[in-house]
Amino acid sequence: MDIKKVLVADAVDAACVELLEKHSIQVDCKYKLPVDQLIAEIKNYDGLIVRSDTKVTADVIAAGKNLKVIGRAGAGVDNIDIKAATANNIIVLNTPGGNAISACELTCSLITNLARNVTPAAASLKAGRWDRKLYAGHELNGKVLAILGLGRIGREVAVRMQAWGMKTIGYDPIVSAEESKKFNVDSLSLEEIWPLADYITVHTPLIPETRNLICENVFKSCKKGVRIVNVARGGIINEADLLQALRDGECGGAALDVFEQEPPTNPVTLELIQHPKVVATPHLGASTAEAQVRVAVEVSEQIIALTGKSKEFTTTPGIVNHSVLKN
């Protein structure tokens, strides 16, 4: 594949640019371009690299007359119109393993935070109060953690929380029960999971099948006081239903790193963030120095591999629309 010029539209670690240029690929970094300007610019490039800020719409793709590959420096590709890219024979790829450890560690931190009320207790003490009884928590040992999505991140979470003594159950339609047993997760149906879980953490992409996966009906099927963690994508949990479940006591707490709208302006989301039983962070799952270097390097390695000119970089594990390769 002939890839000579790449546009980097969102800020990525300098390692990305350095590696591409080392392999004779010209790189231009133009961050946060307005849509009309991106549409005007994209025709000049063979490749486009984005993170989550830039929305690669059908109009952008249609304007990319020379575009051959769109690389996402991260895992989620819901900001890219994959259907339009595929129709135009443009490869879409991501870096599924680059931020796995960082997202996993944040998930584990949020689970322990919910168990011991760390965030509200710290805020209370900073405000001059001494509320020991108010913020008494509970142990994780012996509790049931349900992991929805048993890919790289879900598996890493399972291993770490097992060390805390948690029993891990999970659901993933493409991971067999035999495979999940290898990392000590009991594979169950969603209907079996809901009444068993003390904690639920989601690690799925946002696709039609997972939108509003956690909703009013789920809360009514769960243990009273179940706690929810989302470091995956906003929209997997119905925010209005979660807010109501917190009000009713059906949900005992939530830790959210992602939201349906980012930055959030929706009144429901803002009320949810302010709820005393919610720990909220501004999409920090991949925000570690290590993860940023890894995703930057991985996306550039795959683009280089597509050129077929490197003996060192020859694989493209992040391609999400393999049908393009057959055309």
Side-chain angles (χ1 to χ4, degrees), residues 35 42 46 76 95 114 122 128 150 153 169 174-175 216 233 242 316:
V35 174
I42 197 63
D46 306 302
T95 57
L114 286 178
L150 298 173
I153 299 172
I169 60 177
I174 62 174
V175 176
E216 180 183 7
R233 277 293 180 269
L242 173 57
T316 51

Side-chain angles (χ1 to χ4, degrees), residues 3-326:
I3 302 173
K4 295 179 179 177
K5 291 183 65 177
V6 169
L7 173 64
V8 179
D10 292 327
V12 297
D13 189 86
C16 172
V17 176
E18 292 170 5
L19 191 55
L20 290 172
E21 291 181 339
K22 183 179 178 181
H23 287 79
S24 303
I25 296 174
Q26 180 183 331
V27 183
D28 293 331
C29 297
K30 300 178 182 181
Y31 305 149
K32 297 185 178 180
L33 292 174
V35 174
D36 57 345
Q37 193 172 343
L38 178 59
I39 288 173
E41 291 272 359
I42 197 63
K43 66 179 182 294
N44 301 314
Y45 296 94
D46 306 302
L48 172 65
I49 293 175
V50 299
R51 291 189 63 199
S52 58
D53 290 338
T54 297
K55 311 305 177 188
V56 189
T57 64
D59 289 340
V60 172
I61 289 167
K65 301 301 182 183
N66 298 309
L67 203 57
K68 301 176 181 70
V69 58
I70 302 167
R72 165 72 162 90
V77 291
D78 45 288
N79 58 317
I80 301 170
D81 191 326
I82 297 174
K83 184 178 180 180
T86 303
N88 285 274
N89 291 322
I90 298 169
I91 290 173
V92 177
L93 57 83
N94 66 355
T95 57
N99 60 11
I101 296 300
S102 292
C104 158
E105 290 182 353
L106 179 60
T107 300
C108 296
S109 298
L110 292 174
I111 291 171
T112 56
N113 196 319
L114 286 178
R116 299 306 301 270
N117 298 308
V118 174
T119 296
S124 172
L125 189 58
K126 286 177 181 289
R129 298 189 296 274
W130 188 261
D131 296 323
R132 292 186 69 195
K133 292 184 179 179
L134 180 61
Y135 294 116
H138 62 261
E139 294 181 352
L140 292 173
N141 184 56
K143 302 299 188 300
V144 176
L145 172 63
I147 304 169
L148 308 185
L150 298 173
R152 291 175 176 83
I153 299 172
R155 297 179 189 210
E156 295 289 352
V157 169
V159 170
R160 284 158 178 75
M161 297 319 297
Q162 287 160 11
W164 287 73
M166 298 192 85
K167 174 179 172 56
T168 49
I169 60 177
Y171 169 79
D172 193 314
I174 62 174
V175 176
S176 68
E178 292 75 18
E179 182 65 22
S180 65
K181 268 295 183 185
K182 293 178 182 178
F183 46 96
N184 297 317
V185 173
D186 292 332
S187 179
L188 302 174
S189 69
L190 292 174
E191 290 71 22
E192 292 173 314
I193 281 174
W194 304 141
L196 298 176
D198 296 299
Y199 285 79
I200 298 172
T201 180
V202 294
H203 300 286
T204 70
L206 178 63
I207 56 177
E209 292 79 6
T210 62
R211 185 173 289 279
N212 297 319
L213 179 63
I214 308 293
C215 59
E216 180 183 7
N217 289 338
V218 168
F219 287 115
K220 292 186 181 302
S221 301
C222 287
K223 289 181 180 180
K224 188 177 180 64
V226 65
R227 288 167 171 82
I228 307 291
V229 179
N230 187 7
V231 183
R233 277 293 180 269
I236 298 172
I237 299 172
N238 184 295
E239 293 178 353
D241 290 355
L242 173 57
L243 182 58
Q244 190 59 50
L246 287 163
R247 290 169 178 162
D248 296 341
E250 291 177 344
C251 179
L256 307 172
D257 185 51
V258 289
F259 305 91
E260 292 182 18
Q261 179 192 40
E262 297 180 359
T265 59
N266 182 287
V268 171
T269 309
L270 295 176
E271 185 176 349
L272 185 61
I273 290 169
Q274 294 297 327
H275 194 283
K277 291 185 178 179
V278 170
V279 177
T281 49
H283 203 147
L284 299 178
S287 293
T288 63
E290 295 86 351
Q292 291 311 302
V293 172
R294 278 196 298 266
V295 297
V297 169
E298 286 182 20
V299 73
S300 56
E301 288 177 349
Q302 293 185 79
I303 289 175
I304 293 165
L306 288 173
T307 69
K309 297 177 181 179
S310 171
K311 294 182 179 180
E312 182 179 3
F313 306 121
T314 59
T315 61
T316 51
I319 291 179
V320 298
N321 57 345
H322 287 275
S323 61
V324 172
L325 295 177
K326 300 175 183 178

